[in-house]
Amino acid sequence: MKTLVIAEKPSVAQDIVRALTPVAGKFDKHEEHFENEHYVVTSAVGHLVEIQAPEQYDVKRGKWSFAHLPVIPPHFDLKPVDKTKTRLNAVVKQARRKDVSTLINACDAGREGELIFRLIEQYALEGKHARKPVKRLWLQSMTPQAIRDGFDNLRSDTQMQGLADAARSRSEADWLVGINGTRAMTAFNSRDGGFFLTTVGRVQTPTLAVVVEREEQIRKHVARDYWEIHANFQAIAGEYPGKWFDPAWKKGDDPEARADRVWTESEALAIAEAARGKSCTVKEESKPTTQASPLLFDLTSLQREANGKFGFSAKTTLALAQSLYERHKALTYPRTDSRYLPEDYLPVARKTFEMLASSNQRHLAPHARFGLEQGYVKPSRRIFDNAKVSDHFAIIPTLEAPGGLSEAEQKLYDLVVRRFMAVFYPSAEYQVTTRITTALHQDKPYNFRSDGKVLVKPGWLAIYGKEAASETGDGKDDGKTLAPVEPGEKVLADQVDPKALRTRPPARYSEATLLGAMEGAGKWVEDDELREAMQEKGLGTPATRAAIIEGLLTEKYMLREGRELIPTAKAFQLMTLLRGLQVEELSKPELTGEWEYKLSQMEHGRLSRDAFMREIAEMTERIVKKAKEYDRDTVPGDYVTLQTPCPHCGGVVKENYRRFACTGPSGNGDGACGFSFTKTPAGRTFAIEEAEAFLRDRKIGPLEGFRSKAGWPFVAELALVPDEETKNFKLEFDFGDDARAEQSGEIVDLSGEPSLGACPKCGSAVKLFGKNYVCERAVPTESHPTPTCDFKSGQIILQQPVEPEQMRKLLAEGRTDLLDKFVSMRTRRNFKARLTWSAEEGKVIFEFEPREGKASRFPARPAAAKKTAPRAGAAKTAKAAAPAKKAAAKKAAAPKAEKAAKAPRPGTLKPSPALAAVIGEGPFGRGEVVKLLWDYIKAHNLQDPKDKRTILADAKLRPVFGGDSVGMFKLAGIAGEHLS
């Protein structure tokens, strides 16, 4: 019988095999595992399995309403992570082998590593497969001897039960709070119609609260005038500067007070006048000081450094570090929260220096050689400390000298290598001089301070050369030598002048400073036990913080402007909602602190898993209940009054939680005319300045970020238009003149528009009209009142503006340049593509950059193809979207069909009797089912002629749809419910 060892990553599996080979015999390498007489060694690639609600608790329809909330299943099922299914199947295959009698959990030594293994084990061996004994390999060092020692001291399954319970509990609690909180807040915000996705989470929301709180401080900051008094003193050897300060000053309640600030001009002038021209005494203290290099990098400190130096986002830094780790094998595992190395890593560090000394990295090799010659690589508690190594150790270069790095990869590699070498080098040595120059006026002393700092021995700073100043943090003072003053010498206050300045608000967060705030979030927690529990954790983990920030940007809670992160109106609205509903715990780091404390208690057997999960369920029920039962008209908050008057009666327009509304001439509600407009049309929140512009100009846009009821993003303009029914104004989506023309059939005049080229369908001129480029024969004109062509392409496609010169290029050459601002409607991610004309499809499609000699081509989908309000243009946009969606499915399937000719892959899905009556018995693939449905719909002309997005049911389709009609975008989902 054999023992199966499951590591968390392939690289760790290889390390284990190398360590065991001398004592257990040679391993044979297979495609997904290693094997010898005693062991089978395989690995995951992070999480292979994730939790989900059991089928009977999994709400598919109506999940964004209160009807099915809260969702608290009695247990969780498991499902494979889509992108790693192949790896999961390989691991499961080994776990189920009859000759495997024992499993060893060799995943990372921590809570997340425990969870990764436990979920894989449960997925592989539940049900008809018998459970097998489990042992735990607990490693904090990856040297061969440390691995062999770990195998000699395996921990029992019972010893690890507390950690396993804590890991599962954290995962399930995050699911419960995230799913229920998000659905409850979304349901609350969508009560007035539309779809307003409002995501919340245990880590995401407190992180956002940090950014919002800083922005509130900035907005509330009132600039104050203050003065500093700067002097120039003349000594025998030369002149030197100084700044007045009050030596008796002590920190008080005023956060903007400083020892060198005065708050009135008269006082500043009086100090300057008193000191000017005086003969002054000098006291000086000069002493040597040292500065050690910063510690080795963990992921968060690396992300902060790369953001500050290069402007890399946290996501970019993680991707680069992951590439250097996985692809180039040049860095150790990057997703770590430790800044130390194991105590047995000194020989590895020395070998790393030797590798660098002989590498082709010419700008780094001399420093590595010098470090070896001087014997700098030696034991140090600042570097080697087992007590401070968690699941992983610090990020350092490996013994692999990299080649073929991109410019960004090289920058990050250099950053890590310099830090690695610097931590072994001696401290930098400075001579620091503090000089106090005192002028007497009417026996009152006026003191001025001068500081000098001279680098005596560079030590570790030699590695950074010209960049050394930026490494010290106070590099502006380096090399600043004060003119010498002899003992007892008097100096002249030659120039003394006040300098008028103004206080400034705190700086907005950058990714670097926000990562630091997330890492140190525990310091804001008042409770001592909770603060201690968060001391090592903070908000999120090094591996997840970048994704949390990106998620907040994706959901439009924040915007990135340069290096600043700015919260949006949607973020302020969420904080107002949480306060108003009295569920502020979702925005406080105390929630994480409380969880960490209790999970730590669970790890040590002092709290049961059942008790913790009961508390989480109660908290979840309370959050949902607060949102569901809130019955007031608005949520209390800090709201603004708009400067622009009501367009109907001239009254004062004020903000409340849901709307901007007229409050009458006095602003207190008396005489209000009833005018209002929603703050969140189609799920996009107005910024205050946007609301002002909209009210003033009665139109705005095009704006991005709207979502249809089905959750799809679209771009549109908004207009305030007269409402005949209410005799007031109302907000409407405006999709342009072309949409109105199509619906009304009115004659349009395109004679003044220049031609952009010949229509690829009929050869007539293509012109800009409304939000589209159209063939002049595709709209009713004076000379051609009945359209005979249907060529049209959006001016904005998937949020990518298509400029006229690009349309000219497409018409003349058949394709545009490579455009890089498309946003996928499925993944919400940016992608690059060209737009190209497909004669075969009869439409504009995407063409992606060639991969392995082939170009990928898919139909282009207009960005404004979805909307929520029934308005002129609905039919047009739906018409544009429907064939695009169908063509996308058809075209995406084309390369696969070509492949299938060589190796047919039959579908495995069986339709229900109702669906089989429409498309046949099958079996089918999922894409094939949707295509057959569309073929049936087209053949029987079942699209509603007034709204092409609506599919009308005939006698055969009615049992499938469960009604008389269905929206086209729900078609795939409905079909899925009829497949098994």
Side-chain angles (χ1 to χ4, degrees):
M1 301 301 286
K2 298 187 179 184
T3 297
L4 173 64
V5 181
I6 301 177
E8 190 167 319
K9 300 174 288 292
S11 62
V12 175
Q14 291 173 346
D15 289 340
I16 289 172
V17 167
R18 281 193 287 266
L20 290 181
T21 296
V23 295
K26 184 183 176 184
F27 283 79
D28 294 324
K29 184 177 180 181
H30 299 267
E31 189 173 350
E32 300 287 356
H33 70 281
F34 301 87
E35 187 171 353
N36 70 5
E37 290 183 11
H38 307 286
Y39 294 101
V40 179
V41 181
T42 187
S43 78
V45 281
H47 281 279
L48 303 184
V49 183
E50 58 191 355
I51 61 173
Q52 67 173 357
E55 184 67 29
Q56 62 269 37
Y57 293 91
D58 187 14
V59 181
K60 291 186 172 69
R61 294 191 189 180
K63 66 182 180 182
W64 300 110
S65 72
F66 284 117
H68 302 290
L69 295 179
V71 180
I72 304 177
H75 66 277
F76 284 89
D77 285 347
L78 302 179
K79 67 173 181 179
V81 175
D82 286 339
K83 63 181 181 181
T84 55
K85 277 184 179 178
T86 303
R87 173 65 73 167
L88 174 63
N89 291 337
V91 176
V92 168
K93 181 180 178 182
Q94 301 306 317
R96 291 176 178 172
R97 281 172 49 166
K98 291 182 179 179
D99 62 340
V100 166
S101 61
T102 306
L103 305 184
I104 291 180
N105 174 5
C107 292
D108 296 340
R111 191 189 296 161
E112 212 59 27
E114 196 69 24
L115 181 65
I116 288 169
F117 174 85
R118 296 281 175 164
L119 296 184
I120 293 171
E121 182 218 5
Q122 179 185 337
Y123 182 84
L125 300 177
E126 67 180 351
K128 63 181 181 180
H129 300 280
R131 300 291 298 274
K132 300 180 181 183
V134 172
K135 294 184 178 180
R136 183 60 152 112
L137 177 67
W138 193 264
L139 298 177
Q140 291 184 313
S141 172
M142 293 305 298
T143 62
Q145 189 56 49
I147 293 171
R148 287 192 285 269
D149 290 345
F151 271 88
D152 290 338
N153 297 280
L154 293 169
R155 299 185 182 185
S156 71
D157 195 38
T158 305
Q159 285 176 282
M160 305 310 300
Q161 193 58 52
L163 183 64
D165 286 346
R168 283 183 184 271
S169 298
R170 196 277 309 155
S171 175
E172 293 174 8
D174 272 343
W175 190 96
L176 288 170
V177 171
I179 291 290
N180 286 283
T182 294
R183 290 182 182 180
M185 299 308 140
T186 300
F188 185 92
N189 280 333
S190 303
R191 275 175 167 171
D192 289 349
F195 178 74
F196 184 10
L197 180 61
T198 310
T199 59
V200 297
R202 174 181 62 92
V203 176
Q204 169 193 305
T205 309
T207 300
L208 181 62
V210 169
V211 181
V212 169
E213 185 178 337
R214 176 64 59 87
E215 193 69 19
E216 287 174 339
Q217 292 171 359
I218 293 169
R219 292 182 182 183
K220 290 175 181 176
H221 180 264
V222 178
R224 298 161 62 190
D225 294 327
Y226 71 93
W227 285 261
E228 294 176 351
I229 300 92
H230 293 258
N232 207 48
F233 297 100
Q234 192 69 49
I236 294 171
E239 58 183 31
Y240 64 90
K243 184 164 66 169
W244 173 87
F245 75 103
D246 178 4
W249 179 84
K250 290 183 179 178
K251 192 171 184 179
D253 295 333
D254 186 350
E256 294 179 327
R258 306 283 188 278
D260 57 4
R261 290 180 179 180
V262 295
W263 297 100
T264 63
E265 186 177 18
S266 59
E267 185 182 358
L269 289 168
I271 293 171
E273 187 64 32
R276 190 179 295 119
K278 294 293 188 296
S279 179
C280 308
T281 59
V282 178
K283 284 185 180 179
E284 184 171 282
E285 184 180 90
S286 186
K287 61 180 181 181
T289 187
T290 61
Q291 183 178 15
S293 76
L295 297 176
L296 295 169
F297 284 123
D298 63 1
L299 179 58
T300 300
S301 59
L302 180 61
Q303 288 170 320
R304 295 180 65 186
E305 190 85 358
N307 183 254
K309 280 187 181 297
F310 313 127
F312 293 166
S313 69
K315 178 183 177 183
T316 298
T317 298
L318 176 55
L320 292 170
Q322 201 70 25
S323 174
L324 287 164
Y325 163 67
E326 289 180 353
R327 183 177 162 212
H328 298 287
K329 318 294 183 191
L331 293 185
T332 57
Y333 186 66
R335 296 168 183 258
T336 174
D337 61 357
S338 175
R339 303 186 72 175
Y340 294 83
L341 297 176
E343 290 166 16
D344 61 0
Y345 247 58
L346 181 63
V348 177
R350 191 171 285 116
K351 287 180 182 177
T352 307
F353 262 77
E354 291 168 358
M355 179 277 293
L356 293 168
S358 60
S359 74
N360 60 0
Q361 308 277 327
R362 295 180 182 175
H363 56 303
L364 303 173
H367 302 297
R369 284 196 294 272
F370 186 76
L372 288 169
E373 291 165 6
Q374 298 299 314
Y376 289 159
V377 187
K378 55 191 177 185
S380 166
R381 297 297 286 183
R382 291 189 75 242
I383 307 169
F384 305 100
D385 190 343
N386 285 348
K388 295 179 179 177
V389 173
S390 56
D391 304 14
H392 307 282
F393 51 78
I395 304 170
I396 63 171
T398 65
L399 298 175
E400 191 84 27
L405 301 183
S406 68
E407 182 182 353
E409 287 171 337
Q410 186 69 54
K411 283 181 176 180
L412 200 72
Y413 182 71
D414 284 2
L415 210 59
V416 174
V417 171
R418 288 183 197 272
R419 178 65 66 87
F420 170 72
M421 291 192 294
V423 81
F424 288 96
Y425 265 56
S427 298
E429 296 180 15
Y430 293 91
Q431 191 69 22
V432 175
T433 302
T434 301
R435 181 179 294 171
I436 308 298
T437 307
T438 306
L440 280 176
H441 178 70
Q442 297 178 353
D443 294 330
K444 182 179 179 181
Y446 293 88
N447 297 290
F448 293 79
R449 180 180 175 125
S450 308
D451 292 297
K453 184 178 180 183
V454 179
L455 183 63
V456 178
K457 289 184 179 179
W460 63 274
L461 287 172
I463 293 171
Y464 291 88
K466 292 179 181 178
E467 302 169 23
S470 66
E471 293 300 314
T472 61
D474 57 355
K476 61 184 182 214
D477 293 328
D478 293 354
K480 180 180 172 184
T481 307
L482 299 175
V485 175
E486 295 298 323
E489 179 185 346
K490 296 286 186 91
V491 299
L492 177 67
D494 187 23
Q495 290 178 305
V496 187
D497 298 300
K499 185 177 181 180
L501 299 163
R502 303 195 88 194
T503 59
R504 302 168 76 174
R508 285 193 175 106
Y509 281 105
S510 64
E511 287 205 35
T513 54
L514 182 56
L515 286 166
M518 294 172 74
E519 188 176 39
K523 67 186 178 185
W524 302 319
V525 176
E526 293 182 7
D527 184 278
D528 291 341
E529 287 183 326
L530 302 189
R531 186 167 61 249
E532 186 177 347
M534 277 191 75
Q535 190 172 4
E536 300 297 326
K537 299 290 182 182
L539 287 172
T541 66
T544 60
R545 285 175 190 140
I548 289 160
I549 293 173
E550 289 297 324
L552 291 170
L553 291 163
T554 300
E555 291 300 333
K556 300 294 188 285
Y557 281 123
M558 299 191 306
L559 301 173
R560 187 189 278 125
E561 287 190 8
R563 296 192 184 184
E564 291 185 332
L565 298 174
I566 303 172
T568 62
K570 181 180 179 181
F572 282 92
Q573 194 169 3
L574 174 60
M575 295 305 145
T576 298
L577 177 59
L578 297 179
R579 292 183 199 120
L581 296 181
Q582 298 178 331
V583 290
E584 283 184 276
E585 62 264 38
L586 285 176
S587 66
K588 301 287 187 185
E590 280 87 348
L591 180 60
T592 289
E594 185 179 342
W595 284 20
E596 288 299 339
Y597 174 73
K598 290 179 178 177
L599 291 172
S600 176
Q601 297 284 89
M602 195 184 301
E603 286 178 20
H604 294 94
R606 293 192 286 269
L607 177 69
S608 75
R609 171 165 150 73
D610 288 344
F612 177 79
M613 293 310 300
R614 273 197 304 272
E615 289 182 23
I616 297 301
E618 289 167 6
M619 173 187 162
T620 303
E621 288 171 346
R622 191 179 72 81
I623 290 170
V624 171
K625 185 178 180 183
K626 287 278 189 181
K628 187 185 289 189
E629 295 180 356
Y630 191 89
D631 57 0
R632 280 174 276 172
D633 291 338
T634 188
V635 176
D638 185 13
Y639 298 119
V640 302
T641 299
L642 299 185
Q643 301 300 309
T644 309
C646 171
H648 184 246
C649 72
V652 177
V653 177
K654 290 186 176 182
E655 175 193 17
N656 59 45
Y657 181 71
R658 296 187 185 280
R659 308 184 73 79
F660 292 98
C662 175
T663 57
S666 62
N668 61 8
D670 294 337
C673 69
F675 167 76
S676 71
F677 63 93
T678 178
K679 284 169 62 177
T680 55
R684 183 194 188 278
T685 306
F686 271 115
I688 298 302
E689 53 272 21
E690 289 176 338
E692 289 278 17
F694 181 53
L695 200 56
R696 181 182 64 247
D697 302 333
R698 301 193 184 181
K699 64 179 181 180
I700 193 170
L703 301 175
E704 298 178 359
F706 298 109
R707 291 184 192 237
S708 70
K709 288 182 179 179
W712 295 106
F714 67 93
V715 177
E717 290 185 6
L718 297 172
L720 274 179
V721 299
D723 183 358
E724 292 300 322
E725 187 178 330
T726 63
K727 306 300 181 186
N728 208 316
F729 286 87
K730 67 178 180 179
L731 177 152
E732 282 195 351
F733 285 95
D734 185 354
F735 288 93
D737 298 334
D738 50 339
R740 287 192 292 273
E742 180 174 289
Q743 189 177 63
S744 65
E746 64 183 82
I747 299 297
V748 298
D749 182 10
L750 294 180
S751 59
E753 285 291 328
S755 172
L756 299 173
C759 172
K761 283 196 165 184
C762 71
S764 300
V766 172
K767 299 184 176 184
L768 178 60
F769 179 50
K771 301 293 182 295
N772 289 292
Y773 299 104
V774 301
C775 172
E776 63 181 356
R777 290 179 175 267
V779 293
T781 61
E782 193 71 46
S783 60
H784 195 79
T786 303
T788 57
C789 183
D790 63 356
F791 176 80
K792 181 178 77 169
S793 185
Q795 197 181 359
I796 298 176
I797 296 176
L798 293 183
Q799 304 186 34
Q800 165 72 60
V802 181
E803 303 298 338
E805 55 267 28
Q806 292 297 333
M807 180 50 61
R808 286 192 187 93
K809 192 161 190 173
L810 186 147
L811 295 173
E813 302 174 17
R815 65 178 188 168
T816 65
D817 294 332
L818 188 67
L819 306 177
D820 62 359
K821 292 183 175 61
F822 295 107
V823 179
S824 166
M825 295 178 75
R826 184 176 64 84
T827 67
R828 311 288 196 262
R829 293 178 181 171
N830 284 64
F831 67 90
K832 299 177 183 180
R834 301 176 192 274
L835 296 176
T836 183
W837 171 253
S838 168
E840 179 187 349
E841 293 291 329
K843 57 173 59 70
V844 175
I845 65 172
F846 292 127
E847 180 179 292
F848 299 103
E849 286 296 88
R851 289 187 179 181
E852 299 178 6
K854 285 189 177 181
S856 301
R857 293 154 64 84
F858 295 93
R861 188 198 308 267
K866 314 279 190 303
K867 70 186 188 73
T868 55
R871 161 133 179 92
K876 183 83 168 182
T877 53
K879 184 178 180 182
K885 186 165 186 178
K886 179 183 173 187
K890 182 177 178 182
K891 200 69 182 176
K896 293 180 181 176
E898 200 176 290
K899 206 169 185 179
K902 298 176 184 176
R905 186 178 176 183
T908 59
L909 300 172
K910 290 284 290 180
S912 68
L915 183 58
V918 180
I919 64 171
E921 295 294 335
F924 300 112
R926 191 175 296 274
E928 191 180 2
V929 170
V930 176
K931 181 183 182 302
L932 290 169
L933 267 175
W934 269 108
D935 289 345
Y936 183 87
I937 290 162
K938 291 290 187 184
H940 293 80
N941 200 26
L942 295 176
Q943 282 182 278
D944 188 339
K946 294 180 180 178
D947 182 0
K948 298 288 187 181
R949 293 177 300 179
T950 301
I951 311 301
L952 304 176
D954 62 4
K956 283 189 175 182
L957 282 177
R958 200 168 284 111
V960 178
F961 291 174
D964 293 330
S965 65
V966 72
M968 62 184 288
F969 302 115
K970 294 183 179 180
L971 196 60
I974 290 172
E977 294 175 7
H978 285 268
L979 297 172
S980 60

